[in-house]
Amino acid sequence: MATFRYILRDTWRLLSRHWGLSVLTLLTSVAVFFLVGASVLFVLNTRYLVATVEGDLMVQAYVRNTPEALESVARKASTYDSVSSVRIVTSDEALERLRARLGKQAEAVTLLDENPLPPSVEVRVKRAAFASVIARELISMPEVEDVVYAGAIAERLERISSFVSRLSLVILAVSMASASLVLFNTIRISVYARKEEIGTMLLVGATRNFVVFPYVLQGVILGTAGALLSALLLWFSYGAALDALERSLPFVSLITDTRVILRLGVVLVSAGVTVGWICSWLAASRFIRLASRSL
Amino acid sequence: MEIRFAGVTKQFSPDIVALQDLFLTIAKGEFVYLVGPTGSGKTTLLRLVTREVLPTKGQVTVGDINIRKIASYDLAYLRRDIGVVFQDFRLLPHLTVYENVAFVQEAIGVPPTDVQKRTNDVLDRLGLWRRRFLYPEQISGGEQQRVAIGRAIANSPSILLADEPTGNLDIHTAEEIMQLLLSINASGTTVMVATHNQYIVDAYRQRVIELRKGRMVRDDKKGRYEVDGDL
Ligand SMILES: Nc1ncnc2c1ncn2[C@@H]1O[C@H](COP(=O)(O)OP(=O)(O)O)[C@@H](O)[C@H]1O
Ligand SMILES: [Mg+2]
């Protein structure tokens, strides 16, 4: 236990003696982890938006007007894995919808004796990318006369979604790599600044672990504190961004579930601990192994 | 712990042979002076005991441990039992006088109150009490030397290796240090002192081992700094 206290004290000494370096490293890791968090939020929101729009995306098949034909198209459509729901819309229903949408103006339609709207089969797909495939399948069925779907929108959504995912993977990789590099370098500098001392400590009987631990803790503390601060910063700035967006673009709905943001914070801090630990361990232990070699 | 050199040769490079064919046994509790001109291998001999240097040929054993075969963890434990006063002191520059003397005990995990008691004791004995809060660069060479000795003895080691421990001291302080080393030896610690101090060696007669160009040329039971008449 005493050993643990000595190690903590030595860690504090390392942090405070090179305080300029410590502050610099802390700021860098705040910036980098903020970037990581922000890009994750960006991806999550894009996914969320795409999913919202995708949920409304459907393929409408107009079918020869017999109950059997409608039934059979609906049955065949529902066998596809990429289809989330299938629904038969009768002429009456179609008229109801039109009324609901147009209000009074719909009366012009009802003036006609006969309902001019054809029945259809509405197919919802799970992902935007499936829409064109399903549309092609439907049109090839003999009962189907025509297919209508928002093909261009579907394709664009799909492209945006996959582009954002790829872009943010790159941002994520780059920023994690820079966080690692910065922490690794800081620890290496502080190890090198004390190489004589480390040699002496080993010579008078300190174990490698006793010597290495303050450096590792130094890295863990800097990494963790950086991630923690960036999570706080992210929390407040995301809140502010949501407020601003709600005022200027009220129809865009973003993730407001605080649990999602909290979970992201937890992930960031764990990443800070892990990166801090691994990098400082690599930076310090290799050197200390070298320093403990006999001539 | 007995220290034994069996046919030890240390070669730093093809043309630098620091020690050659050394056979030497130092019994537990002995006091030994190592003498010889600069470059004769005194420091290398001491560094072999702590495994700072590995022998090129032959075996060094400390107690029943073959220095070549020791695991790194065990080495740390062995070193705790060997106090070393380095020729260039090697004080930890970022630690105060007090912290330097306390360091080995802390590395071992001695509880703070015990460390405090022991460290204050040692500082008092070495006349460093009033210097305890200063850093190595703020004190004189002689004081630094005493801090180095303090660190070496703070852990009550079984073996004490001192590389020219009186090098920077006036004759009065040198005698005090000698008294200290002798009293540590009297309590059972094996002491090896590499020295150029003829006055001390002749005043406090002990076993004398003389090296020349890496070879042991003399091993006298109660020797003098120089033999009467040339070799
Ligand atoms: N690390 C080293 N690398 C190369 N040569 C060394 C090294 N250490 C000591 N020597 C050489 O070994 C010889 C013995 O040195 P040393 O043991 O320091 O002698 P002393 O302590 O008696 O002055 C000298 O010639 C010295 O130059
Ligand atoms: Mg020497």
Side-chain angles (χ1 to χ4, degrees), chain A residues 216-288:
Chain A
V216 172
L217 272 185
Q218 181 192 14
V220 170
I221 287 172
L222 288 174
T224 310
L228 201 64
L229 284 177
S230 77
L232 286 176
L233 206 62
L234 207 61
W235 173 271
F236 289 115
S237 53
Y238 187 65
L242 278 185
D243 282 349
L245 213 64
E246 200 165 341
R247 257 179 278 116
S248 54
L249 299 168
F251 48 87
V252 176
S253 65
L254 293 181
I255 300 171
T256 50
D257 189 351
T258 49
R259 274 172 309 173
V260 174
I261 323 292
L262 275 179
R263 219 175 301 142
L264 176 62
V266 171
V267 169
L268 272 184
V269 174
S270 339
V273 177
T274 314
V275 169
W277 186 276
I278 292 175
C279 291
S280 50
W281 177 259
L282 286 179
S285 72
R286 202 181 77 90
F287 177 82
I288 285 167

Side-chain angles (χ1 to χ4, degrees), chain B residues 25-65:
Chain B
T25 302
I26 294 155
K28 179 179 181 304
E30 255 192 296
F31 192 113
V32 179
Y33 289 118
L34 279 177
V35 300
T38 300
S40 58
K42 303 183 295 296
T43 299
T44 302
L45 194 157
L46 295 179
R47 290 169 85 196
L48 279 161
V49 178
T50 55
R51 200 192 192 262
E52 195 183 347
V53 162
L54 276 173
T56 313
K57 252 196 333 220
Q59 307 298 332
V60 178
T61 45
V62 179
D64 47 10
I65 299 164

Side-chain angles (χ1 to χ4, degrees), chain B residues 53-207:
Chain B
V53 162
L54 276 173
T56 313
K57 252 196 333 220
Q59 307 298 332
V60 178
T61 45
V62 179
D64 47 10
I65 299 164
N66 184 334
I67 235 62
R68 198 194 290 281
K69 293 180 181 145
I70 195 167
S72 99
Y73 200 71
D74 296 331
L75 179 60
Y77 278 83
L78 175 66
R79 283 174 173 172
R80 292 167 184 191
D81 209 19
I82 304 177
V84 186
V85 183
F86 299 98
Q87 195 167 359
D88 50 358
F89 315 147
R90 295 211 211 165
L91 299 178
L92 301 169
H94 297 106
L95 302 185
T96 61
V97 165
Y98 176 92
E99 290 163 342
N100 262 285
V101 174
F103 179 81
V104 184
Q105 299 168 78
E106 293 184 349
I108 296 170
V110 176
T113 44
D114 296 352
V115 172
Q116 211 166 28
K117 197 160 160 293
R118 175 73 185 150
T119 305
N120 286 337
D121 227 37
V122 170
L123 288 175
D124 210 26
R125 225 161 129 192
L126 288 165
L128 289 166
W129 172 252
R130 280 170 44 223
R131 294 287 195 224
R132 66 191 183 283
F133 295 130
L134 297 179
Y135 287 91
E137 58 170 20
Q138 296 172 308
I139 58 178
S140 72
E143 285 168 333
Q144 288 179 16
Q145 193 144 41
R146 279 184 278 156
V147 178
I149 293 168
R151 181 177 66 188
I153 66 171
N155 199 36
S156 314
S158 305
I159 297 172
L160 182 64
L161 309 176
D163 203 347
E164 314 207 8
T166 57
N168 286 304
L169 304 179
D170 59 82
I171 196 65
H172 176 67
T173 322
E175 281 198 304
E176 269 179 28
I177 295 299
M178 255 327 278
Q179 299 287 358
L180 184 69
L181 294 179
L182 285 169
S183 77
I184 289 162
N185 176 241
S187 68
T189 300
T190 311
V191 179
M192 294 180 77
V193 183
T195 186
H196 281 132
N197 195 322
Q198 178 163 15
Y199 171 82
I200 290 290
V201 176
D202 289 344
Y204 304 89
R205 300 277 292 270
Q206 299 286 348
R207 183 176 174 188

Side-chain angles (χ1 to χ4, degrees), chain A residues 2-3 5-6 9-10 13 17 193-194 196-211 292-295, chain B residues 10 12 47 51-54 72-73 76-77 79-80 86 90 92-95 99 103-104 106-107 109-112 115 151:
Chain A
T3 305
R5 277 179 55 181
Y6 298 134
R9 184 200 57 195
D10 289 347
R13 280 190 183 139
R17 201 155 285 128
R194 285 152 178 265
E196 303 262 313
E197 237 181 298
I198 290 173
T200 306
M201 288 176 173
L202 293 167
L203 267 182
V204 299
T207 57
R208 280 186 203 169
N209 281 342
F210 185 80
V211 177
S292 59
R293 268 222 302 252
S294 303
L295 274 176
Chain B
K10 178 62 194 180
F12 283 106
R47 290 169 85 196
R51 200 192 192 262
E52 195 183 347
V53 162
L54 276 173
S72 99
Y73 200 71
Y77 278 83
R79 283 174 173 172
R80 292 167 184 191
F86 299 98
R90 295 211 211 165
L92 301 169
H94 297 106
L95 302 185
E99 290 163 342
F103 179 81
V104 184
E106 293 184 349
V110 176
V115 172
R151 181 177 66 188

